Amino acid sequence: MDEFDASLSAARMRDAESSLTGLRERFSVPEDTVYMDGNSLGVHGQDAEAALERALTQWKEYGIEGWTQADPPWFEYGERLGDRLADVVGAKPDECVAANSTTVNIHALVGTFLDAANGTEVVVNELDFPTDHYAIRSQLRARHLDPDEHLVIVESDDGRIIETDAIADAVTDDTAIVFMPSVLYRSGQLLDVEAITDIAHEHDAFAGFDLAHSVGVVDHDLHFDGVDFAVWCSYKYLNAGPGAIGGLYVHEDHFDRSPAMAGWWGNADGTQFDLAPEFDPARGAAAFQIGTVPVFAAAPLFGTLDVTEAAGVDSLRERSVELTRYLVSLVDARLPECEIGTPREAERRGGHVAVEHPDAGKLSRALRDRGVVVDFRPPNVVRVAPSPYYVGFDDIWHAVDEVRAILDADAHHAYGEGDEQVT
Ligand SMILES: Cc1ncc(COP(=O)(O)O)c(C=O)c1O
């Protein structure tokens, strides 16, 4: 048994002993596939399917009465899911709601907090997922603030990492909002939510976060940290399916703020059907709902939250850290042609690892051809996400072994011709 076999059997033993091992059986990883793309789209699971089936059956049985007669009533989906999401992100029940999509929630909350702020600038970073900047720029424009002047972009020294000190240097008394991701989508760096919130507050600015790459896999304490607002999706680590409903959090101190993008679904329940011309906002995060809840894009989340709750976010995070640690150690040992673009300290790492290689696009495609689903983020990153819900140490071993085989083979033959599609 060589050194790598030994590390694999140790990892297998940890797998067998883990209280989360049974989780995998609740998911349907596509056949003959090692699925390491759960930070882009989580896999199908029986809990999601059953919850969606239930909603469909209730539509069949109740028709329009489902709004009040279904279990749970469709009318209450946003708030009911919000109560449960609050546990996942460390908030009070009324501080969360399931609604809209991540991008729409950025529009809604950045707009609202720009209206409430003393400053006029929004501080973001150059490694953000682009939709965040598109939305913020348009909210600035809507307030006649030139985005080229009022969007302050913190730069990265190495194209991978955003230093907390660099954020601190960019925040001034002109700052309205510091809006950052919890985890950078490309490198997988986990930012310090509490420290960034403190920096914003020292300048009387608001702190908002995009939790797309951490919700369900990293434990958060949004209320305790004093975060003002946050947004996320549920189709990545929460496994609620393609196009599943988004979520948002607003600290209770801001329950009196007037939503910048009001809609009747954010009206107080008691008066919603008065259909009055004036908006009467619900109390709490529920006020930031806009239009009718997309029932079939929300129903699967009832099922997948059962899974997250049963496992516990703390345990999922613990296992995720072990999985990524194992992945990093195997890349170090077996793939000297590759570099790790993710911080090595567990507390600075989210749920995925950036494996860098000059031919990352082609490598990513070759891996998919061999049944290892990862994705490519230009210019040189293969993102590998060992979701703790359904990926084991064996899978990681196999994935790294496939990379080794691809790199060892004739490069032209193994990679094939043509450019990689970015997905
Ligand atoms: C950080 C981040 N924000 C937002 C989005 C997308 O938002 P939406 O769900 O509105 O498409 C993504 C998509 O991967 C993302 O990675």
Side-chain angles (χ1 to χ4, degrees), residues 150-315:
H150 294 270
L151 190 70
V152 176
I153 304 178
V154 176
E155 291 184 357
S156 163
D157 290 337
D158 62 359
R160 296 165 167 161
I161 302 300
I162 297 295
E163 299 292 352
T164 306
D165 286 349
I167 298 173
D169 290 345
V171 181
T172 69
D173 291 346
D174 292 328
T175 305
I177 300 170
V178 180
F179 189 75
M180 290 286 154
S182 48
V183 171
L184 292 180
Y185 81 98
R186 192 187 284 113
S187 74
Q189 179 200 354
L190 174 63
L191 279 76
D192 187 337
V193 168
E194 189 182 5
I196 294 167
T197 301
D198 289 346
I199 291 167
H201 290 174
E202 277 160 25
H203 291 271
D204 203 17
F206 298 116
F209 291 88
D210 180 341
L211 309 182
H213 283 274
S214 64
V215 68
V217 75
V218 175
D219 45 320
H220 284 295
D221 223 343
L222 298 184
H223 179 88
F224 182 81
D225 290 345
V227 171
D228 297 291
F229 68 96
V231 301
W232 59 86
C233 63
S234 53
Y235 49 75
K236 297 181 187 287
Y237 293 103
L238 288 177
N239 303 304
I245 194 161
L248 65 87
Y249 151 91
V250 175
H251 193 284
E252 65 184 356
D253 288 354
H254 304 300
F255 283 178
D256 290 333
R257 307 227 178 266
S258 188
M261 287 177 55
W264 79 306
W265 217 256
N267 202 93
D269 286 352
T271 56
Q272 182 176 354
F273 283 88
D274 292 353
L275 302 175
E278 284 299 318
F279 179 54
D280 172 22
R283 178 122 191 106
F288 295 87
Q289 299 172 95
I290 300 175
T292 303
V293 63
V295 169
F296 301 128
L301 186 54
F302 282 104
T304 61
L305 282 174
D306 287 345
V307 184
T308 304
E309 288 163 1
V313 180
D314 287 354
S315 306

Side-chain angles (χ1 to χ4, degrees), residues 12-13 23 41 81 101 156 184 226-227 283 346 370 372 378 391:
R12 274 192 187 131
M13 260 164 67
L23 268 193
L41 177 66
L81 287 168
S101 66
S156 163
L184 292 180
V227 171
R283 178 122 191 106
R370 289 167 176 248
V372 178
V391 174

Side-chain angles (χ1 to χ4, degrees), residues 22-197:
L23 268 193
R24 188 191 178 104
E25 275 69 67
R26 295 170 81 159
F27 293 93
S28 328
V29 175
E31 224 173 306
D32 297 327
T33 296
V34 169
Y35 194 89
M36 305 276 222
D37 209 10
N39 62 336
S40 208
L41 177 66
V43 299
H44 171 280
Q46 287 107 59
D47 301 83
E49 182 171 330
L52 180 57
E53 284 284 345
R54 209 160 43 241
L56 279 164
T57 305
Q58 292 180 346
W59 177 32
K60 199 170 178 182
E61 283 174 7
Y62 296 123
I64 195 167
E65 304 299 342
W67 285 109
T68 52
Q69 301 300 310
D71 179 22
W74 304 332
F75 190 59
E76 297 173 18
Y77 264 31
E79 291 86 344
R80 294 270 198 124
L81 287 168
D83 285 0
R84 295 176 64 183
L85 287 165
D87 275 345
V88 177
V89 298
K92 296 187 176 181
D94 288 354
E95 291 178 322
C96 291
V97 71
N100 316 314
S101 66
T102 310
T103 308
V104 171
N105 287 334
I106 296 172
H107 277 285
L109 292 177
V110 166
T112 301
F113 282 85
L114 268 176
D115 288 342
N118 295 324
T120 55
E121 294 177 352
V122 182
V123 176
V124 294
N125 78 77
E126 67 165 329
L127 303 179
D128 277 327
F129 190 75
T131 202
D132 298 36
H133 290 205
Y134 304 160
I136 296 168
R137 282 178 162 271
S138 65
Q139 288 303 318
L140 288 167
R141 270 195 304 273
R143 286 159 185 77
H144 307 289
L145 298 168
D146 181 353
D148 291 339
E149 283 174 28
H150 294 270
L151 190 70
V152 176
I153 304 178
V154 176
E155 291 184 357
S156 163
D157 290 337
D158 62 359
R160 296 165 167 161
I161 302 300
I162 297 295
E163 299 292 352
T164 306
D165 286 349
I167 298 173
D169 290 345
V171 181
T172 69
D173 291 346
D174 292 328
T175 305
I177 300 170
V178 180
F179 189 75
M180 290 286 154
S182 48
V183 171
L184 292 180
Y185 81 98
R186 192 187 284 113
S187 74
Q189 179 200 354
L190 174 63
L191 279 76
D192 187 337
V193 168
E194 189 182 5
I196 294 167
T197 301

